[in-house]
Amino acid sequence: MASTALMTRESTPTPDYARLEERIVARDQKGASDVLYGLFKQHRPAIEILRETVRIHAPFTHVPYHQRLDDGIVKFVNNDHCLLSERVGLPLMSMVRPELAWLPLAQTVWYMPTGLDPWNQLLGKAPGHYTRLYEIAVHEDPPTPEIHWPDQEPLRIDGPIGERLNHWLTLVQRGEVLPSYRVFLGLMEDVPHRREALAHLAFAGLIDVQDRMLHNRSYTTGHKSYRARATIDLGNAIGWEHAHSVLYAGVPDVAVGPRWYSTYEMGGNVVQSLLDARDAELLKQTAALTPAEEAMLVEVITRGREINVIEAIVALLKGGAAPRRILDAIQVAAAQVILETGDVNNYSMSQHGYEYCNTLGWFYDTFQHPHRLKLLFVAASFIQHAAEHQRDTPNNLGRRTLTPPPGASGWSATRLLAKLEAALLALEADESVALTAAYLAAGHDRAPLVQTLASAAVEVGNDPHNQELGLSLLEDYAKTRAHDRDRLLLAQAKHTAGHRKYGDHLECYRRFAEAMGVEV
C-alpha cells in the first residue's frame, strides 16, 4: 500500500475555546457569541476559530436517519447547517464590507447552539432551531446533545486505489455508516491518493438526489453534496493533518439513509445509450453556447418536460458544446426558478436546486472525475423538477416584469445601493430585484453591487445556511460565461430578501455590531 500520514487528533482546547464549547453545548446563543466576540478582539486567526468550532459541533450534528415514519406519516429529519455555514465564512470575509468581515463566522456561532442534535429536536426532547421552526413544545432544561455516531479509528485496506474507492462507495450505498467512515479515514491516510478520495467523496454526495418533489416532505435536496464540499474546502483550508474533526463532521452522513440514486442512474443510462459512453471525449469539448442555444436550454428546463431537457442537452453535446458551458446555462435556469418563487415558504426547492448547480460547478472546476458528465443530466433534471414543482405549488409568481421606483434611472450608484441594502434588510423582495435591475441597466460598476449583495446576505441571519445560498450565486457570477449572467445577481437579491426567515433576522447582526463597534 502507498505511504501514509496520520492525521492528528485535536489537543486539549485553550481556556477561551473550552468556554466557547461549554456555551455552545449548553445551547446558550448569547453566551457563545460573547465568547466569540472576545476571540475576534484578540485577533485570533479565522482558520483557528473554524477548526475549533468544527471540533465542538462535530459529535452533535449527525442524525441516525434523515427520515421518520410515525403513525403512517413520513417526516423529514433535517440536515446539519453548521458545517455549511463554516465553509462560506472564509470567502465571505473578503466579499463583504471590511467592517463586516467577521460577521459570517458570528452568524455561524450564533446559530450553532440551536443546531445541535436535530434528531432529538424534532422529537421534542431538546430545544433548538427546529423546535422553534415546527413549534414543538420542549418543557425541560436543555439536555446534553446526543452523539448518534461515535468517532472512529481508520481502517486501512489493501488493493489498487480504484478498488478501494469502489469498496468505500459500496459501503455508503449499503448504509454502513461507521464501516464506511472508518474506510474513508484509512483512504485519507494514503497521501498520494488523497485527492482521488476527496473527489469520490464529493461524487458520492452529488449522486444522492431525490427523484421527485411535488407533495414530498422527505428530501435529500442535494444536501450530502453540500456537506461533502464543505468538508473538502474546510479540510484544505485548515490543513488535512489537523482536520480530523472536519472529516468526523462531514463524512459519516454521506452513508446515512435514506439514499436516492435513481436520477444519477438516469444520467448514466443517457450517457451510455444516447452518447455511446463517450464521457472522456465529450468532457474535452470546449465550444461555448451561442446566446440562442443558452436561451433555448433555459426555456426547455424551466418550461418543458424531463425528456425535452435530456434531448436538448444530448443535442448540444453532439454538436460540440462544452459540458461546463452547458452547466453555466443550467445555472441561469436555476436562477430563473428563484425569481419565479413567491411565498416565503416556497423557496426550498428553488434555493436547493441552485445550490446543487453551484456545487456541481465547483466539482467540475476542482476535480477531473471521470463520471462528471453524467451529473450534468442530474443537475438539469433537478432544476426541471424544481420549475415544475414551483408551477404546481400555490402562491408562486411565474414570469413577470418588475418596475423600479419612479426616478430610479436617474439615481447615482451610491443612492441605488443604499436603497437596495435597505430593501434587502426590510425583506422587500420585489423592490430588491427591481433596484438591482436598475443598477445593472445604468451600467454602474458591478463590484460595489456584489459587495452590497454579499453584505446583505450576511447581515440577514438566524439560519446561516441561507448566507451560503447567497454566496453560491455570487461565486458563479464571478466565473460563469453565460450570456445572461446578470440573472444570477437578480436571483441573489430575490433570495436574500425573500427566503424564509426565523425569529428576528437582524438580531445577530445588531449584537455583532454593538460588540464590535460597527455602525448599523
Side-chain angles (χ1 to χ4, degrees):
M1 185 173 174
S3 62
T4 62
L6 295 175
M7 285 179 284
T8 59
R9 304 286 172 128
E10 287 77 2
S11 58
T12 302
T14 64
D16 284 332
Y17 285 113
R19 178 64 175 167
L20 181 64
E21 180 174 6
E22 175 195 7
R23 290 298 85 207
I24 289 174
V25 175
R27 296 183 168 93
D28 179 1
Q29 274 187 301
K30 297 180 178 64
S33 292
D34 288 340
V35 176
L36 182 70
Y37 301 149
L39 293 168
F40 292 162
K41 293 174 181 178
Q42 294 173 31
H43 304 290
R44 304 305 305 175
I47 293 296
E48 177 187 280
I49 295 173
L50 283 169
R51 184 183 68 238
E52 292 295 321
T53 56
V54 176
R55 176 190 62 79
I56 291 166
H57 78 72
F60 307 119
T61 43
H62 295 293
V63 296
Y65 207 71
H66 285 292
Q67 182 176 290
R68 290 183 60 88
L69 187 59
D70 296 330
D71 302 319
I73 302 298
V74 176
K75 297 178 181 177
F76 172 60
V77 179
N78 298 68
N79 295 271
D80 163 50
H81 288 176
C82 298
L83 197 68
L84 306 186
S85 176
E86 285 159 324
R87 180 198 70 88
V88 303
L90 291 176
L92 279 170
M93 288 184 78
S94 62
M95 295 178 69
V96 300
R97 295 194 303 276
E99 67 271 20
L100 301 180
W102 287 109
L103 183 54
L105 290 180
Q107 290 283 10
T108 297
V109 171
W110 176 255
Y111 169 83
M112 200 172 290
T114 74
L116 304 182
D117 196 1
W119 178 267
N120 278 316
Q121 288 188 39
L122 291 171
L123 293 178
K125 295 181 179 179
H129 180 71
Y130 298 111
T131 56
R132 295 185 313 208
L133 172 60
Y134 296 111
E135 299 180 351
I136 300 172
V138 180
H139 301 294
E140 55 187 277
D141 293 332
T144 300
E146 185 174 349
I147 300 173
H148 296 285
W149 300 108
D151 203 357
Q152 301 293 305
E153 295 296 326
L155 177 61
R156 304 167 189 89
I157 58 177
D158 294 323
I161 184 60
E163 290 182 7
R164 286 183 278 144
L165 291 174
N166 283 340
H167 175 65
W168 171 74
L169 189 53
T170 297
L171 293 174
V172 169
Q173 290 173 292
R174 288 162 55 178
E176 299 190 28
V177 178
L178 294 182
S180 67
Y181 175 41
R182 293 190 65 202
V183 168
F184 195 83
L185 290 176
L187 288 167
M188 287 296 290
E189 290 188 344
D190 181 4
V191 176
H193 294 114
R194 186 174 284 173
R195 185 169 179 80
E196 293 162 88
L198 293 172
H200 224 48
L201 174 66
F203 175 71
L206 285 160
I207 65 175
D208 190 347
V209 178
Q210 80 285 346
D211 56 4
R212 58 166 289 109
M213 294 182 189
L214 192 63
H215 294 304
N216 272 36
R217 288 296 302 274
S218 183
Y219 299 113
T220 66
T221 53
H223 236 278
K224 291 180 181 179
S225 66
Y226 318 149
R227 292 188 73 179
R229 178 190 180 174
T231 301
I232 294 165
D233 281 354
L234 286 167
N236 286 333
I238 292 170
W240 287 109
E241 307 315 312
H242 305 285
H244 175 80
S245 287
V246 175
L247 293 174
Y248 182 26
V251 174
D253 189 68
V254 177
V256 172
R259 293 164 301 283
W260 287 281
Y261 301 116
S262 58
T263 306
Y264 176 75
E265 181 185 1
M266 174 274 292
N269 287 334
V270 168
V271 173
Q272 184 77 22
S273 60
L274 301 182
L275 294 168
D276 303 318
R278 294 183 292 123
D279 299 62
E281 175 188 342
L282 295 170
L283 284 166
K284 294 178 182 178
Q285 294 180 168
T286 59
L289 272 62
T290 66
E293 287 173 331
E294 179 184 302
M296 175 276 296
L297 186 56
V298 170
E299 180 73 11
V300 168
I301 291 172
T302 57
R303 300 291 178 264
R305 298 166 54 223
E306 187 176 46
I307 183 60
N308 307 131
V309 175
I310 292 170
E311 291 173 342
I313 294 176
V314 167
L316 287 169
L317 289 169
K318 286 184 175 180
R324 185 64 180 87
R325 304 287 71 86
I326 293 174
L327 181 53
D328 286 343
I330 298 172
Q331 290 176 341
V332 173
Q336 180 61 31
V337 177
I338 292 175
L339 287 168
E340 295 183 15
T341 301
D343 187 80
V344 295
N345 293 316
N346 290 350
Y347 277 80
S348 182
M349 291 303 99
S350 57
Q351 66 183 19
H352 285 98
Y354 192 89
E355 187 171 8
Y356 184 88
C357 294
N358 168 262
T359 304
L360 183 55
W362 163 84
F363 185 64
Y364 263 77
D365 297 339
T366 306
F367 299 111
Q368 297 296 307
H369 196 280
H371 299 300
R372 62 192 186 280
L373 183 71
K374 302 175 179 69
L375 294 166
L376 202 63
F377 293 93
V378 180
S381 176
F382 195 153
I383 304 309
Q384 186 272 327
H385 281 293
E388 186 176 60
H389 177 278
Q390 300 302 75
R391 289 198 304 272
D392 294 338
T393 300
N395 302 319
N396 281 314
L397 303 172
R399 288 176 174 167
R400 59 199 186 121
T401 300
L402 296 176
T403 303
S409 60
W411 292 350
S412 68
T414 301
R415 185 178 181 187
L416 278 168
L417 292 178
K419 293 282 189 179
L420 172 59
E421 183 165 17
L424 290 165
L425 299 190
L427 310 184
E428 296 171 347
D430 286 353
E431 185 171 352
S432 297
V433 175
L435 287 166
T436 303
Y439 188 96
L440 293 168
H444 297 304
D445 182 10
R446 305 299 175 84
L449 173 62
V450 169
Q451 184 183 72
T452 298
L453 292 170
S455 298
V458 175
E459 289 165 334
V460 170
N462 202 276
D463 181 351
H465 176 34
N466 291 309
Q467 71 183 17
E468 183 192 20
L469 271 298
L471 174 66
S472 295
L473 286 144
L474 298 179
E475 282 181 331
D476 290 329
Y477 177 76
K479 61 187 177 183
T480 184
R481 299 184 196 172
H483 302 282
D484 195 10
R485 66 196 293 255
D486 286 350
R487 193 166 300 271
L488 276 59
L489 297 180
L490 298 172
Q492 203 276 0
K494 175 66 181 288
H495 179 266
T496 294
H499 71 72
R500 186 175 183 181
K501 311 302 188 296
Y502 308 99
D504 181 351
H505 66 286
L506 297 178
E507 183 173 358
C508 177
Y509 170 43
R510 286 195 295 265
R511 289 183 176 276
F512 168 85
E514 181 181 3
M516 303 302 292
V518 174
E519 184 178 349
V520 176

